[in-house]
Amino acid sequence: MSSADTHCPYCALQCAMTVSHAGATTVTGRDFPTNRGGLCAKGWTSAELLASPHRLRMPLMRRPDGTLAEVTWEEALDAVAAAFRDTKATHGPDANAIFGGGGLTNEKAYQLGKFARVALGTSRIDYNGRFCMSSAAAASNRAFGMDRGLPFPVTDLDDARTILLLGSNVAATMPPFLAHLAGARAAGGLIVVDPRRSATARLTEDGAGTHLQPAPGTDLPLLLGLTHIVITENLLDRAYIEERTTGFDAVRRSVAAWWPERTSSTTGVPVAQLRETARRLATGRAYILTGRGVEQHVDGTATATAAINLALVLGLVGREGSGYGTLTGQGNGQGGREHGQKADQLPGYRSIRDPEARRHVAGVWGIDPDEIPDAGIPATALLAELGGPVKTLLVAGSNVVVSAPDVDAVRARLEDLDTLIVCDFFLSETAELADIVLPVLQWAEEEGTMTSLEGRVIRRRQALPGPEGARSELWILAEIARRLSAASTWSTDPSVVFDELARASEGGIADYSGLSHALLDTGIEAYWPYRAEGTPRPFTQRFARADGRARLVPVDATPPAPTDRGDELTLVTGRYLQQYQSGTQTRRVAELNGARPEARLEIHPATASRLGIRENALVAVSNERGVVRARATVTTDIRHDTVFLPFHYAGEKCANRLTEAIVDPTSAMPEFKRTRVRVASEAAVPVPAFPRGSVVVSAHPDPVRTKEGTHA
């Protein structure tokens, strides 16, 4: 029997688990500060993915008749190298592109960025974290000089008296996190901001807190209004502001116009709730946490900045028993953005345009600094170049045909490429379009490291071998680099790659230089920056800016368009407990998919009545970009001017057929949470088919428990 202590393959909470294999693979929860032995439904069914009949076991190549057929690794890799080589020779280095993912290990994310810059010489690399954390990252870097999702251990929340949670339905996205909200709930201080009465919002009932239900897209005015109240009612911490921040006067002037009555009329949140929230935050032991619901907007960076301003004015950040943080989504969303997948970054969270950063990293890679390309372009812009300036694309750890905005346009551009190469362990919707598909290992079949939402570097360990024919991305990149006669070295050993990553990150913001696989295996608490020791709370003495002070940055809100214009409604997108991201994994787990086999449109009873829509009716949700077909769930959990769709599904159920490829000017985050749509009953719509032979089974009602999951 083989076993390994490792971590869940899903969200950034990175719950600890033990994976054992003896003919069957079993998963058990393991005690760890983030999950304390518990796992959610996704975690305790994760073993089923390892022996899934849908696993890719050999490379596939497109035949002249349009079908995909198995080929040898030699054939596939020769074809990949030839495509990259020919594209560069004919169209230049930037005609080759890489699209990565926030679920890749640190080692693979690092090697992918190095491969783009050294082996291909291209600036065209970005990743799906641009759709997740970019606004929060931009705001944190601007304010603090550092982007670490939670700049404190998650267990610090246990003693909170008040937690303001904006735009995050943690009851569905990371259920074990709920244990850390228990103290605030017991004190009546959990404040949830969401236009839906989500499972998390319901945790505020029965005296446990308050649900603020603003109109979609009005989180920025809400935060400006709260800051106005804090200042005008003298709830601010003047000594902290003077000692630890700059820019207060500009922020004070910027919120002056957001008096409570104006804020209320804009957001729909009653004045009494606004005042109560501001006063509650000022009573001590308070935290402000943000999530994608307030960040996935064209003003997402401004909104995250407003949340930081509120926390700084209250004196919460960098103090024991209080703070600000943002909840990273993908499993390695933190580490994935630190070491080279982003268009403008080098390892260690360094700017690619910093001459000293280029010199240092080039020295580790053994190349001239001038050989490192300039900054590239962010994800949405990169996808817009496909089939035009970009001719060949390698996708690793992402399913853009489901997750990108305006996916019908993305699909068309993917089909216009000369060559599409996809690394995946299942034939995702993106892989189905590929010219070459390369089968890779899953989480329990590989060694490496991940970085959790706390900035804690943790070990991913191999519990069982992968299927015959599957390979690690490290091996794949090394083999392609060898065929391209690339400079530098290309190890396939994750521990060796990590050591190189550590050297490349040395002196950077995200410094891993004091870490190694061997040291991590001792069980240390490894919060970055980690040189001689870890830094669980990096802001206690000073912020990561030259003067040590946090920067208060004034932002303003553009008055939002009316939320109900005739027959138009505002669509917000989000998650289900039993599904994850684009559903490539969870839609192939019978129990999870049986619980949530299709997308459901949430619509308010008054709106449904006006449109002639009944419970369970088939509806068409449409705008100028496309149509999504789903069944209706009529519920008072949503505002009358708003509808909700999950984003886990493909084809006619894909919510991102409707979202628009417009982005935040600072972070390049797309607008996912505020889309104009029309909804109509469509009795003729066929019943949606369950994906890939799924079986409907009853779902467990408890979202978190310690359970053993077995798959033969």
Side-chain angles (χ1 to χ4, degrees), residues 520-670:
L520 290 167
D521 283 339
T522 66
I524 61 164
E525 292 186 350
Y527 298 92
W528 71 258
Y530 195 106
R531 300 175 182 94
E533 60 183 15
T535 315
R537 300 171 186 86
F539 301 148
T540 54
Q541 301 299 319
R542 65 192 314 276
F543 294 98
R545 307 194 65 84
D547 60 2
R549 293 171 175 261
R551 184 182 297 173
L552 285 153
V553 180
V555 291
D556 199 4
T558 302
T563 54
D564 190 352
R565 299 190 304 222
D567 60 349
E568 288 192 340
L569 299 164
T570 299
L571 168 69
V572 297
T573 63
R575 306 170 187 248
Y576 284 154
L577 167 64
Q578 296 87 355
Q579 298 285 5
Y580 180 74
Q581 300 294 82
S582 71
T584 300
Q585 298 169 87
T586 49
R587 284 189 277 121
R588 290 173 169 85
V589 176
E591 182 169 344
L592 299 179
N593 203 58
R596 289 290 191 181
E598 62 181 5
R600 304 281 300 204
L601 180 84
E602 291 185 11
I603 187 169
H604 190 274
T607 309
S609 176
R610 174 168 63 85
L611 297 175
I613 294 170
R614 296 184 177 181
E615 175 72 16
N616 212 41
L618 291 161
V619 297
V621 189
S622 64
N623 59 23
E624 63 273 20
R625 285 173 294 281
V627 180
V628 171
R629 291 175 171 84
R631 291 187 181 275
T633 295
V634 180
T635 174
T636 57
D637 289 346
I638 198 160
R639 292 170 53 100
H640 69 88
D641 52 10
T642 306
V643 291
F644 168 85
L645 278 173
F647 57 69
H648 311 293
Y649 301 89
E652 67 174 9
K653 295 176 287 186
C654 181
N656 281 319
R657 299 182 77 175
L658 304 170
T659 54
E660 188 175 0
I662 54 173
V663 299
D664 181 297
T666 302
S667 66
M669 167 71 79

Side-chain angles (χ1 to χ4, degrees), residues 295-315:
E295 298 160 6
Q296 287 179 323
H297 293 289
V298 292
D299 58 2
T301 302
T303 304
T305 297
I308 291 171
N309 288 343
L310 175 60
L312 289 172
V313 168
L314 287 162

Side-chain angles (χ1 to χ4, degrees), residues 8-11 39-46 48-49 169-176 196 199 202 574-600 602 644 646-649 691 694-705:
C8 181
Y10 292 109
C11 80
L39 299 173
C40 77
K42 294 183 287 289
W44 49 252
T45 58
S46 57
E48 184 170 335
L49 292 168
N169 184 14
V170 287
T173 58
M174 48 181 69
R196 301 169 62 217
R202 290 194 194 98
R575 306 170 187 248
Y576 284 154
L577 167 64
Q578 296 87 355
Q579 298 285 5
Y580 180 74
Q581 300 294 82
S582 71
T584 300
Q585 298 169 87
T586 49
R587 284 189 277 121
R588 290 173 169 85
V589 176
E591 182 169 344
L592 299 179
N593 203 58
R596 289 290 191 181
E598 62 181 5
R600 304 281 300 204
E602 291 185 11
F644 168 85
F647 57 69
H648 311 293
Y649 301 89
S694 60
V695 178
V696 177
V697 295
S698 59
H700 292 283
D702 51 327
V704 188
R705 60 194 178 108

Side-chain angles (χ1 to χ4, degrees), residues 110-404:
Y110 166 81
Q111 200 83 311
L112 197 64
K114 177 183 174 182
F115 178 83
R117 275 89 184 207
V118 178
L120 300 183
T122 184
S123 69
R124 276 5 191 203
I125 177 171
D126 212 66
Y127 79 128
N128 63 14
R130 186 72 66 172
F131 303 153
C132 180
M133 288 300 301
S134 57
S135 291
S140 292
N141 280 323
R142 187 165 63 182
F144 308 133
M146 175 188 289
D147 157 39
R148 210 183 81 181
L150 293 184
F152 50 81
V154 70
T155 50
D156 283 7
L157 296 170
D158 295 345
D159 297 324
R161 183 177 180 275
T162 302
I163 296 176
L164 175 62
L165 182 61
L166 301 109
S168 183
N169 184 14
V170 287
T173 58
M174 48 181 69
F177 185 86
L178 299 182
H180 303 289
L181 305 180
R185 292 184 67 213
L190 178 61
I191 306 168
V192 176
V193 179
D194 199 316
R196 301 169 62 217
R197 188 160 67 237
S198 64
T200 306
R202 290 194 194 98
L203 296 175
T204 65
E205 296 171 356
D206 300 323
T210 305
H211 175 205
L212 307 183
Q213 199 170 11
T218 63
D219 306 289
L220 178 51
L222 175 71
L223 288 162
L224 296 174
L226 290 173
T227 306
H228 175 99
I229 294 170
V230 167
I231 293 172
T232 56
E233 294 193 7
N234 201 31
L235 303 172
L236 71 173
D237 188 326
R238 292 189 182 275
Y240 176 96
I241 292 168
E242 292 176 3
E243 294 170 8
R244 302 211 58 190
T245 72
T246 63
F248 171 71
D249 285 342
V251 167
R252 176 178 53 79
R253 289 191 297 270
S254 71
V255 302
W258 289 98
W259 57 89
E261 290 76 16
R262 183 191 180 199
T263 302
S264 179
S265 67
T266 300
T267 64
V269 177
V271 169
Q273 284 190 339
L274 294 171
R275 293 192 184 280
E276 178 187 357
T277 297
R279 293 166 184 170
R280 176 93 198 188
L281 287 168
T283 59
R285 289 167 53 197
Y287 289 82
I288 297 174
L289 305 177
T290 64
R292 304 302 80 73
V294 299
E295 298 160 6
Q296 287 179 323
H297 293 289
V298 292
D299 58 2
T301 302
T303 304
T305 297
I308 291 171
N309 288 343
L310 175 60
L312 289 172
V313 168
L314 287 162
L316 303 182
V317 189
R319 277 185 163 167
E320 183 178 354
S322 65
Y324 163 83
T326 183
L327 301 177
T328 304
Q330 295 186 80
N332 200 30
Q334 181 71 62
R337 66 184 185 268
E338 295 169 359
H339 299 301
Q341 286 191 100
K342 288 181 77 173
D344 57 350
Q345 287 183 191
L346 290 172
Y349 223 129
R350 288 180 161 94
S351 168
I352 200 168
R353 287 183 168 160
D354 177 358
E356 176 55 30
R358 294 171 67 88
R359 184 203 63 76
H360 175 82
V361 173
V364 174
W365 289 349
I367 63 174
D368 189 285
D370 291 340
E371 295 178 54
I372 298 176
D374 196 1
I377 56 178
T380 303
L382 177 58
L383 293 174
E385 286 196 347
L386 303 184
V390 170
K391 305 298 182 183
T392 296
L393 175 70
L394 170 66
V395 178
S398 189
N399 187 12
V400 292
V401 171
V402 175
S403 62

Side-chain angles (χ1 to χ4, degrees), residues 55-58 73 439-442 445 466-472:
R55 284 295 298 273
L56 297 174
R57 288 172 164 78
M58 284 296 291
W73 272 104
V440 297
L441 301 177
Q442 285 199 71
E445 302 160 352
E468 185 70 26
R471 299 286 187 272
S472 167

